[in-house]
Amino acid sequence: MKLYFAIVWTAFALVNCGGGAQENSAEANGTSLQTTEETKPKITGKKIELTISSDDQMQFDKREMTVGEGQEVTVILKHIGKMSKEVMGHNWVLLHQGTSITDYAMKALDAKEKEYLPEEIPVIAATNMIGGGETTSITFQAPAKGTYDFICSYPGHYGLMKGKFIVQ
Ligand code: CO
């Protein structure tokens, strides 16, 4: 739990650095302390924080994630398994509309040294690749209203590890 809060805090700290929004830090901290159920979206003003878990069975615990247009989104990815990232790595990659999941996943095969994020196909957002017991996060601006695909780009995972990211 301590680690979780540390990571959330770090995410907010990074956000605050980037945006220079000092006055938000107290508010953000308060939200973390009040939250008891970490899988529910946390909304603070224009910020929304979504947690998605992954495991050794090559699964995400969510098939759908919904945010609002204009929101600053933080996606926290947890790997609750025990296997290393070399054999059961997971990331969370949000594709642009018009990018085919299969095309992206095929290109990702050749991008091992880039943690399976092929540079020639830009994405909206992507986390680091993590292994069992690890947590990572990514903060980005919600794209325009619509439905987007998210996947894990580790080789062979996109068949099971995918879902819809909905901006409304
Ligand atoms: Co994976």
Side-chain angles (χ1 to χ4, degrees), residues 26-163:
E27 192 183 321
N29 197 30
T31 307
S32 300
L33 294 173
Q34 283 160 18
T35 305
T36 52
E37 206 178 328
E38 59 191 54
T39 56
K40 281 192 176 168
K42 286 190 257 172
I43 301 171
T44 312
K46 285 237 151 208
K47 297 180 183 185
I48 182 166
E49 195 180 288
L50 300 167
T51 299
I52 182 167
S53 287
S54 55
D55 60 19
D56 286 342
Q57 277 70 53
M58 221 190 285
Q59 298 279 356
F60 283 131
D61 72 339
K62 292 181 177 65
R63 286 275 163 165
E64 214 172 273
M65 299 168 85
T66 304
V67 303
E69 193 178 38
Q71 280 182 322
E72 184 182 290
V73 182
T74 297
V75 171
I76 298 170
L77 171 68
K78 297 180 157 205
H79 190 323
I80 61 169
K82 291 191 160 51
M83 296 166 81
S84 73
K85 75 172 179 181
E86 286 72 28
V87 293
M88 187 51 73
H90 300 317
N91 61 5
W92 185 91
V93 183
L94 184 61
L95 303 179
H96 282 288
Q97 284 176 335
T99 297
S100 132
I101 291 177
T102 315
D103 288 351
Y104 191 84
M106 289 303 122
K107 279 274 191 268
L109 291 175
D110 297 326
K112 185 177 181 187
E113 73 288 353
K114 300 283 179 197
E115 293 201 309
Y116 303 107
L117 296 174
E119 283 175 335
E120 59 269 48
I121 307 182
V123 296
I124 297 168
T127 68
N128 297 329
M129 188 72 68
I130 56 172
E134 295 182 314
T135 298
T136 187
S137 71
I138 183 75
T139 298
F140 58 97
Q141 204 66 33
K145 281 182 193 179
T147 301
Y148 300 78
D149 292 309
F150 67 82
I151 62 165
C152 168
S153 69
Y154 187 94
H157 286 198
Y158 72 96
L160 285 173
M161 301 188 77
K162 64 183 170 190

Side-chain angles (χ1 to χ4, degrees), residues 8-37:
V8 169
W9 193 207
T10 305
F12 277 118
L14 288 173
V15 164
N16 285 338
C17 275
Q22 283 301 340
E23 71 276 14
N24 286 344
S25 55
E27 192 183 321
N29 197 30
T31 307
S32 300
L33 294 173
Q34 283 160 18
T35 305
T36 52
E37 206 178 328

